[in-house]
Amino acid sequence: MNPVYYLYLAALLFTIGATGVLIRRNAIVVFMCIELMLNACNLAFVVFSRMHGNLDGQIIAFFTMVVAAAEVVVGLAIIVSLFRTRHSASVDDASLMKL
Amino acid sequence: MSFPLLTATAVLPAVGAVATAAVPAARRTAAKWLALLVSLATLVLAIVVMVRFDPGGARYQLTESHAWISDFGVRYELGVDGIAVALLALTALLMPFIILAGWNDADPLETGSKRWRPTQGFFALILAVEAMVIISFEATDVFLFYIFFEAMLIPMYFLIGGFGDRAHAQGEEAASTQRSYAAVKFLLYNLVGGLIMLAAVIGLYTVSGNFSLAEIAQARANGTLHMATSTERWLFLGFFFAFAVKAPLWPLHTWLPNAMQESTAPVAVLITAVVDKVGTFAMLRFCLQLFPEASKWATPTILVLALISIIYGALLAVGQRDIKRLVAYASISHFGFIILGIFAMTSQGQSGATLYMVNHGISTAALMLVAGFLISRRGSRLIADYGGVQKVAPVLAGTFLIGGLATLSLPGLAPFVSEFLVLVGTFTRYPAIGIIATFGIVLAALYTLVLYQRTMTGPVKPAVAAMPDLKARELLVVTPLIVLLIFLGVYPKPVTDIVNPAVKQTMSDVHKTDPKPAVEAAK
Amino acid sequence: MNAENLIALLIAAPLLGAAVLLVGGRRLDAAGHWIGTILSTTSFVFGVILFADLLGRNADDRTLMQHLYTWVPVAGFQADVTFRLDQLSMTFVLLITGVGSLIHLYSVGYMEHDERRRRFFGYLNLFLAAMLLLVLADNYLLLYVGWEGVGLASYLLIGFWQHKPSAATAAKKAFLVNRVGDMGLSIAIMLMFTTFGTFAFGPVLSHVTDASEGRLTAIGLLLLLAACGKSAQVPLQSWLGDAMEGPTPVSALIHAATMVTAGVYLIVRSGAIFNAAPDAQLVVTVVGAVTLLFGAIVGCAKDDIKKALAGSTMSQIGYMVLAAGLGPIGYVFAIMHLVTHGFFKAGLFLGAGSVMHGMNDEVDMRKFGGLRKYMPVTFITFGLGYLAIIGFPGLSGFFSKDKIIEAAFAKGGTEGWILGTCALVGAAITAFYMTRVMLMTFFGEKRWQPDEHGHEPHPHESPKVMTIPMIVLAIGSVFAGGFFSIGDRFLHWLEPITGHSEGDSPISAGVVTGATMVCLVIGVGIAYLQYGRRPVPAVAPRGSLLTRAARRDLLQDDFNHVVLVRGGEHLTRSLVYVDHTLVDGVVNGTAAGFGGLSGRLRKLQNGYARSYAVSMFGGAALLVAATLLMRAV
């Protein structure tokens, strides 16, 4: 099967993620969309790795996962603390760099 | 190693500035005396420089040279030629008078105020300006010059914005708004000029790999440093623009009336008589020496702009209703003469222009300081608020008239000699421009005499009826200036002797010789 | 001690006086006027000593030079402070210091009640110093210093009563109009410098032939412009009438006897240039002829005694300029008329001052009348001056004016006829207006009225300190002309400097004299019919169009006002506007533009994470697109 189709899928996922980041207000959804974009990238890396026949892409994919995990930890913590003080998870409410 | 005399002339006022600023808030008078003493000591040093300077000797004398930023070839290089000595002397000479005239200008409004220390600040800033102006006259390293040329703006900004006239028709709040407008305008204008010059300074470095004026000029003269015509022109324009803003040349002049109008009279003198001279001085020293061909290329345009400055400044002076603005526009007209003399490229023109810088400094100081005394008495800058002052304060009116007569270049007073030299120098090469510039002398008579007539003569206005005449301190300021005006008008030789060799050098830098008289040329 | 070394003292004495009196302050109030008078007289004494020295020398050896120091040394341009005393400047020195000292003396009485008398004498001394510098200078630049110096003194003295706005305005006007002339002089000096490489009299005047005629004509015309300003010649004459705002001794000294004749001095001194530039000479004669008629016509219409005399001064200087324009035929007579005019016109002005002194400073002749009974000395001295100026046979004016009229005819050709006729007509008008002044002031019934406070003037003779100078001047007006003319003394005295030629007159000297006499009789006769036979109305009649125009100085002031003053005001006002809106507007506009732009840009920083994300994505998309595009190309 032609690996290019996987690339198309990765681009599609990335676009869905990007659109989500741009148009959704709920911080959790935005956060998930970012995860989606990261995973789209991962998919693309793996596909490239397959296409070029070396392992670099797959190694990078692992790095990405590590970064994504770290991001989840920090990001979710921020969202939870924001929600606690504002009782809302809308990203637009946090437009000033203060509470 | 000999005593670094030139450094000392600049360091002394700089140290004095710091010391003055450090005087405790309550000891206001001590700060004034300290500033005055420092300025007098600087004057003594300047006189020593003048005496040690040998007009027949090397071009740059009393030189000092130390490595500074060796990676970029920036050196701490000082040296003076005749033109610099003359202006150094002028600066050092005017400072004590400026300080003495501004003796009470920066006292806090409410007595016993400790919130701020305006008096100390005022005099410290004036001394700081003096130090920077002096070092810009002495610097023979382009980068060193640039730094102080720009740094001067900082104290000047605070002097204009922070210490306005007490006399203001619309009250303190309006005054403060207009002051900051004037100060910001001054700063922005000069910063733009300075930035363009910075680009040109960097450009010069990339072309020559060096910042030393003497070395670059030498290399230019013996052909080892070749510049493409367009490069030279662009660099010249970069330098000239900054100096034309500072000078100021039409149409870059509009900051000057605002700045002079809003600042106190001594600061106004500082601006026009001292700081602005750096601009015209630098044209002579940097533009002509570094870029002789481009200077010649730009000459026609610059002459026309200078001519416009002369006529335009004088006409606007006629139309002013504010005494200080009038003097400001008159100064614009005079700067036109100075620039005309520099770019006429004749010995008479350039000697005249240098002499003009000195004389204009003294004459404007005399006129402006007396005007300041007048304004401080009545609390208004508007000409229409005065009338008949001559009757109640004859000495004030008399000194004002002498200042005015110097401004209109009456023969027998110093400015006449320089103005005539500039006109002759221009006329020998460009008769038409010389003739049009001569119209400036009629207009000068017009604005000066109209000013005198409206303020000093006629029936005594009630508001000036109780006006006191000049006090001892004020007489102490004005009398020496008037004596100097008369002395240099009758016997300008001491200055011309110092200036002439330097002018000769500059003329040879630009490869120009004076035109021959028609009778000799015909033979 | 060499005589040369005295020259500087001539100037130094009054200069010292000016400095002492002006700087000295109130302490000198009591003695100031005598200090001034003594120093002025000292200068006169030095003048006489030098004159005796010159007389003791050969006619060719009468030029003394004193070099003091180098004034402006600049490469290629050298101006020295050097004085030259020759027959021409000697003549002026004696006139200036002599008449000047007499007028100082007169002023002691005239200004007695003025609290600023000390200052007045300071200014008078300043004037003397500047005027002496003017005539003693050995180069044009130094002459220029004196030239503007007398202008300054004239400014200060016209505006001496500064509390009167009219005096302050008149002073300013005089200075400004003179500045226009001065501009001519300074350009002339520049042109000399570019032509000859110097502007000292000796080298310039002896190398005239090396220069092209075009340049010489230009220099001549510029010098004429300068002369027009200083000597109140058309078209720069308008200031002289207003200058009568000054105290009367000033009018006598500066605006009649000495300063206003400086233009004639300049032309005669530069004779070599004019001789080589016939076109310039022609213009000089035209200016002289026009002014002599102009001044005379103005003089006929004025009711203000001083302004009538001012018109007369203008006219008489017109004669001198005319003579100077005739070249070597006329130079000597120009100066001779200048000297005799100095006597009789100063005398007339002092007489007018004496009349005013007795009449509570009234100047309107319609309010005089019959004063001869009250002021006999003034009447007689004024009368002698009157006879001298109209050219009554045997008196000073007769000799000097007659010579000028002869010389005008002697120019030859059509020009000679036209100029001569103008001069003759001028003589007739002179006789008319001077007779008018005489009759209105001293003859007829008394016409003065109590003023609004009910004070009636009590005309009385002036004190001795005032009448003595008047008597001395009257003696001069009677005898000077004859003394100069007998044996052509004056001619022989000046000839080595100015040169002289006879010219060839189409009509004989006797005919000219006869014609002059006829003109004189006609002028006096008409005036007698109009003002002697009939009572003078106390309010001026409306008069013909010409009279009304002449009262307004032939509308020149109106022209100046409309064209120069109004035009200038509009120009400066619009320039102020342009500077504010356009030149400053561009700058402020730039600033406002940046301000507005940054205001817009600030809106982008709204704090919404999503909008930042959009710009990030947009930027990334642009980068990708650009990369792809680059690849595709």
Side-chain angles (χ1 to χ4, degrees):
Chain A
M1 197 176 163
N2 193 342
V4 174
Y5 292 119
Y6 293 98
L7 281 185
Y8 287 146
L9 177 64
L12 191 68
L13 286 174
F14 188 88
T15 314
I16 293 171
T19 319
V21 168
L22 293 184
I23 61 176
R24 296 305 296 262
R25 282 189 195 158
N26 191 312
I28 302 284
V29 178
V30 170
F31 198 68
M32 282 163 67
C33 288
I34 291 173
E35 288 300 315
L36 195 57
M37 285 157 70
L38 284 170
N39 283 322
C41 294
N42 268 351
L43 182 57
F45 276 128
V46 174
V47 172
F48 287 139
S49 171
R50 168 105 186 158
M51 281 165 78
H52 295 297
N54 65 13
L55 289 176
D56 292 359
Q58 300 192 21
I59 293 166
I60 298 267
F62 278 110
F63 275 110
T64 312
M65 278 179 214
V66 174
V67 171
E71 191 208 344
V72 169
V73 174
V74 178
L76 272 181
I78 292 174
I79 292 172
V80 167
S81 74
L82 266 181
F83 187 79
R84 271 200 194 145
T85 50
R86 291 177 193 274
H87 304 289
S88 133
S90 166
V91 285
D92 287 0
D93 284 349
S95 68
L96 301 172
M97 289 182 76
K98 58 181 182 185
L99 290 174
Chain B
M1 202 182 100
S2 60
F3 180 70
L5 192 56
L6 293 185
T7 305
T9 52
V11 167
L12 184 61
V15 172
V18 176
T20 311
V23 173
R27 311 286 303 275
R28 194 172 300 119
T29 320
K32 295 176 184 177
W33 279 105
L34 180 63
L36 183 63
L37 286 177
V38 168
S39 69
L40 285 172
T42 314
L43 177 58
V44 171
L45 280 182
I47 292 171
V48 174
V49 170
M50 229 175 147
V51 173
R52 294 265 303 271
F53 182 80
D54 169 23
R59 175 165 197 172
Y60 294 111
Q61 298 183 19
L62 306 169
T63 49
E64 295 167 29
S65 181
H66 304 282
W68 184 22
I69 312 176
S70 36
D71 288 349
F72 297 102
V74 178
R75 298 181 65 81
Y76 176 81
E77 271 190 354
L78 302 182
V80 282
D81 59 357
I83 300 171
V85 168
L87 290 168
L88 180 69
L90 170 77
T91 308
L93 175 83
L94 286 180
M95 281 302 161
F97 298 115
I98 288 174
I99 289 173
L100 207 53
W103 201 250
N104 300 327
D105 279 2
D107 288 347
L109 285 173
E110 62 270 39
T111 44
S113 160
K114 286 191 180 173
R115 189 166 47 88
W116 187 45
R117 303 193 302 164
T119 316
Q120 281 83 341
F122 184 71
F123 292 101
L125 286 171
I126 289 179
L127 287 177
V129 173
E130 178 178 19
M132 290 173 183
V133 169
I134 285 179
I135 208 154
S136 355
F137 286 139
E138 293 169 344
T140 52
D141 184 283
V142 180
F143 194 79
L144 184 68
F145 169 82
Y146 172 77
I147 288 176
F148 287 100
F149 181 78
E150 285 290 273
M152 226 182 279
L153 300 180
I154 303 165
M156 281 315 299
Y157 171 79
F158 288 111
L159 279 173
I160 297 169
F163 303 88
D165 254 336
R166 295 281 159 73
H168 205 282
Q170 283 101 42
E172 187 49 38
E173 196 161 326
S176 136
T177 318
Q178 291 190 16
R179 263 209 303 276
S180 33
Y181 171 73
V184 169
K185 196 168 176 181
F186 164 83
L187 192 66
L188 284 181
Y189 253 105
N190 284 284
L191 271 183
V192 170
L195 283 178
I196 292 176
M197 183 182 161
L198 178 62
V201 168
I202 295 169
L204 181 70
Y205 178 69
T206 56
V207 175
S208 68
N210 194 326
F211 281 115
S212 166
L213 179 67
E215 278 179 36
I216 299 175
Q218 177 97 43
R220 297 281 285 141
N222 54 28
T224 49
L225 172 59
H226 179 73
M227 277 189 209
T229 314
S230 64
T231 316
E232 187 185 342
R233 287 179 184 174
W234 280 111
L235 292 179
F236 168 82
L237 287 179
F239 277 80
F240 184 78
F241 185 81
F243 304 148
V245 168
K246 188 81 95 190
L249 181 67
W250 187 90
L252 304 170
H253 64 274
T254 54
W255 64 269
L256 185 69
N258 285 92
M260 280 179 77
Q261 174 188 25
E262 296 304 332
S263 48
T264 61
V267 174
V269 172
L270 194 63
I271 297 172
T272 181
V274 178
V275 172
D276 284 354
K277 295 296 178 328
V278 182
T280 44
F281 164 79
M283 287 181 195
L284 261 173
R285 179 173 264 189
F286 295 101
C287 287
L288 295 193
Q289 275 195 47
L290 293 175
F291 317 108
E293 295 308 315
S295 301
K296 281 187 267 185
W297 162 75
T299 295
T301 319
I302 295 172
L303 288 182
V304 169
L305 290 179
L307 195 58
I308 295 177
S309 285
I310 294 172
I311 302 296
Y312 185 89
L315 281 173
L316 270 128
V318 175
Q320 295 305 318
R321 283 175 294 184
D322 179 310
I323 299 175
K324 285 169 136 185
R325 269 185 95 82
L326 191 152
V327 180
Y329 277 106
S331 285
I332 291 169
S333 180
H334 289 145
F335 278 109
F337 275 108
I338 296 175
I339 297 172
L340 195 65
I342 293 174
F343 282 91
M345 308 269 184
T346 52
S347 325
Q348 298 94 40
Q350 293 187 345
S351 293
T354 312
L355 201 54
Y356 209 128
M357 290 186 222
V358 176
N359 293 339
H360 172 258
I362 302 172
S363 73
T364 308
L367 182 66
M368 194 71 188
L369 293 178
V370 179
F373 299 149
L374 180 73
I375 290 168
S376 68
R377 281 167 165 68
R378 167 74 174 79
S380 165
R381 295 196 306 248
L382 291 182
I383 296 171
D385 285 346
Y386 296 88
V389 173
Q390 198 275 334
K391 190 96 177 159
V392 285
V395 180
L396 194 156
T399 49
F400 191 69
L401 181 62
I402 296 177
L405 292 174
T407 305
L408 64 76
S409 301
L410 188 87
L413 297 175
F416 167 72
V417 178
S418 42
E419 191 163 302
F420 197 81
L421 280 173
V422 166
L423 286 172
V424 164
T426 311
F427 187 85
T428 51
R429 218 183 275 283
Y430 309 97
I433 292 181
I435 289 173
I436 300 174
T438 313
F439 278 92
I441 70 169
V442 178
L443 293 172
L446 184 61
Y447 61 68
T448 312
L449 295 186
V450 168
L451 173 65
Y452 183 79
Q453 186 191 354
R454 297 216 177 127
T455 51
M456 299 297 170
T457 69
V460 181
K461 289 225 168 136
V464 302
M467 189 177 275
D469 213 333
L470 288 189
K471 286 176 291 211
R473 170 179 65 86
E474 296 167 331
L475 269 177
L476 196 62
V477 172
V478 177
T479 318
L481 292 176
I482 289 176
V483 169
L484 259 177
L485 280 176
I486 295 172
F487 177 75
L488 287 180
V490 177
Y491 194 65
K493 199 162 174 287
V495 183
T496 51
D497 278 354
I498 290 182
V499 167
N500 283 341
V503 166
K504 204 171 151 201
Q505 288 275 4
T506 314
M507 288 285 289
S508 74
D509 284 339
V510 291
H511 311 294
K512 282 273 193 181
T513 47
D514 291 329
K516 286 253 179 298
V519 172
E520 275 178 43
K523 277 177 187 167
Chain C
M1 183 174 180
N2 286 332
E4 285 93 346
N5 300 333
L6 278 180
I7 302 178
L9 295 179
L10 281 174
I11 301 175
L15 196 61
L16 175 73
V20 167
L21 291 177
L22 294 178
V23 177
R26 302 237 160 83
R27 274 156 289 171
L28 293 176
D29 270 353
H33 46 288
W34 289 117
I35 296 178
T37 311
I38 287 168
L39 283 168
S40 152
T41 319
T42 312
S43 183
F44 177 65
V45 171
F46 285 135
V48 171
I49 295 172
L50 282 165
F51 182 57
D53 184 79
L54 285 197
L55 284 181
R57 292 163 182 256
N58 282 333
D60 318 333
D61 188 30
R62 283 178 178 161
T63 301
L64 303 181
M65 303 283 268
Q66 184 185 16
H67 175 81
L68 275 192
Y69 63 94
T70 300
W71 178 29
V72 189
V74 169
F77 179 101
Q78 176 136 353
D80 290 334
V81 177
T82 304
F83 301 124
R84 163 192 290 256
L85 185 79
D86 54 16
Q87 289 93 320
L88 182 59
S89 29
M90 192 69 240
T91 311
F92 271 89
V93 166
L94 289 179
L95 177 75
I96 295 162
T97 53
V99 175
S101 302
L102 287 175
I103 288 174
H104 272 78
L105 188 64
Y106 177 91
S107 309
V108 170
Y110 190 85
M111 301 299 284
E112 194 178 352
H113 304 296
D114 197 301
E115 55 176 0
R116 293 163 70 232
R117 179 163 68 165
R118 168 185 58 85
R119 196 179 277 242
F120 181 81
F121 277 84
Y123 292 160
L124 275 189
N125 270 349
L126 178 67
F127 167 76
L128 283 190
M131 188 73 201
L132 288 169
L133 180 64
L134 195 166
V135 297
L136 287 171
D138 183 48
N139 62 61
Y140 282 95
L141 198 65
L142 194 60
L143 179 145
Y144 188 65
V145 176
W147 190 264
E148 287 235 340
V150 292
L152 170 68
S154 160
Y155 169 79
L156 294 170
L157 285 166
I158 295 173
F160 186 70
W161 287 317
Q162 288 179 326
H163 51 274
K164 287 200 297 186
S166 57
T169 308
K172 183 188 70 187
K173 182 176 175 186
F175 197 93
L176 282 178
V177 176
N178 267 298
R179 264 264 153 150
V180 176
D182 296 348
M183 206 176 88
L185 184 54
S186 56
I187 299 176
I189 298 174
M190 293 177 213
L191 199 54
M192 277 177 210
F193 180 71
T194 54
T195 308
F196 302 103
T198 174
F199 36 76
F201 289 152
V204 168
L205 298 177
S206 56
H207 288 93
V208 161
T209 43
D210 295 346
S212 68
E213 193 183 318
R215 277 174 180 264
L216 292 175
T217 308
I219 295 176
L221 291 177
L222 289 164
L223 291 176
L224 174 65
L225 179 65
C228 282
K230 194 74 33 191
S231 293
Q233 300 292 295
V234 175
L236 297 178
Q237 87 295 357
S238 65
W239 63 273
L240 188 62
D242 294 342
M244 297 300 128
E245 287 288 344
T248 308
V250 172
S251 313
L253 177 61
I254 302 186
H255 305 117
T258 55
M259 184 191 86
V260 285
T261 57
V264 182
Y265 171 78
L266 183 67
I267 296 174
V268 174
R269 176 59 86 191
S270 316
I273 295 174
F274 284 94
N275 292 345
D279 292 340
Q281 273 188 322
L282 182 66
V283 181
V284 174
T285 52
V286 170
V287 166
V290 169
T291 311
L292 82 87
L293 291 176
F294 187 107
I297 292 170
V298 170
C300 292
K302 294 286 186 186
D303 288 333
D304 178 326
I305 185 169
K306 287 181 72 181
K307 291 201 170 165
L309 289 177
S312 159
T313 304
M314 215 185 275
S315 167
Q316 296 301 315
I317 298 171
Y319 273 104
M320 299 169 208
V321 170
L322 168 64
L326 295 172
I329 320 174
Y331 291 141
V332 173
F333 304 126
I335 300 299
M336 188 161 111
H337 192 54
L338 193 156
V339 175
T340 57
H341 174 259
F343 284 118
F344 57 69
K345 187 50 69 60
L348 287 170
F349 264 110
L350 294 191
S354 172
V355 169
M356 288 161 60
H357 193 69
M359 294 290 288
N360 291 353
D361 285 331
E362 180 60 62
V363 288
D364 188 351
M365 292 191 289
R366 292 186 187 277
K367 293 178 182 156
F368 294 162
L371 287 175
R372 67 178 186 281
K373 281 168 285 188
Y374 301 92
M375 308 179 170
V377 181
T378 306
F379 168 63
I380 291 168
T381 54
F382 196 91
L384 290 173
Y386 154 74
L387 291 176
I389 191 173
I390 63 171
F392 191 80
L395 272 68
S396 287
F398 167 76
F399 292 103
S400 51
K401 199 191 286 177
D402 194 52
K403 288 284 187 195
I404 292 180
I405 300 174
E406 277 174 35
F409 280 111
K411 174 147 172 91
T414 329
E415 295 152 37
W417 280 103
I418 295 175
L419 294 174
T421 314
C422 284
L424 272 180
V425 172
I429 307 179
T430 307
F432 171 80
Y433 67 72
M434 283 312 298
T435 311
R436 175 174 174 268
V437 168
M438 196 69 196
L439 290 175
M440 284 174 85
T441 307
F442 292 103
F443 292 88
E445 292 305 309
K446 70 165 193 141
R447 292 185 297 274
W448 59 86
Q449 304 285 335
D451 60 11
E452 59 266 30
H453 306 298
H455 297 300
E456 190 168 334
H458 296 286
H460 55 85
E461 189 53 88
S462 302
K464 284 237 167 49
V465 75
M466 288 168 70
T467 50
I468 289 171
M470 287 157 62
I471 294 167
V472 175
L473 287 171
I475 293 170
S477 330
V478 174
F479 298 110
F483 178 77
F484 291 158
S485 291
I486 293 166
D488 285 337
R489 281 199 185 109
F490 202 74
L491 181 61
H492 294 314
W493 164 249
L494 268 189
E495 200 180 351
I497 300 299
T498 59
H500 184 68
S501 68
E502 280 302 328
D504 52 336
S505 182
I507 46 177
S508 75
V511 176
V512 173
T513 310
T516 314
M517 284 307 110
V518 172
C519 288
L520 194 158
V521 171
I522 293 173
V524 173
I526 295 177
Y528 179 71
L529 289 179
Q530 218 174 340
Y531 298 97
R533 299 273 300 274
R534 281 184 279 167
V536 179
V539 177
R542 198 171 139 76
S544 68
L545 208 60
L546 180 65
T547 316
R548 271 180 282 150
R551 275 190 200 130
R552 303 186 64 123
D553 297 323
L554 294 177
L555 303 181
Q556 221 235 326
D557 271 343
D558 304 75
F559 174 82
N560 284 351
H561 188 76
V562 172
V563 176
L564 297 178
V565 180
R566 288 268 183 77
E569 275 173 2
H570 283 299
L571 179 67
T572 52
R573 235 177 271 153
S574 44
L575 272 183
V576 170
Y577 179 76
V578 164
D579 195 56
H580 191 72
T581 50
L582 209 71
V583 182
D584 214 13
V586 169
V587 176
N588 282 344
T590 317
F594 275 111
L597 190 64
S598 57
R600 298 270 157 68
L601 287 175
R602 197 175 58 189
K603 294 216 176 93
L604 291 178
Q605 308 293 321
N606 51 12
Y608 294 121
R610 288 183 301 135
S611 84
Y612 298 148
V614 168
S615 45
M616 257 173 71
F617 281 120
L622 270 179
L623 274 178
V624 171
T627 320
L628 289 180
L629 217 72
M630 291 302 285
R631 281 229 173 147
V633 172

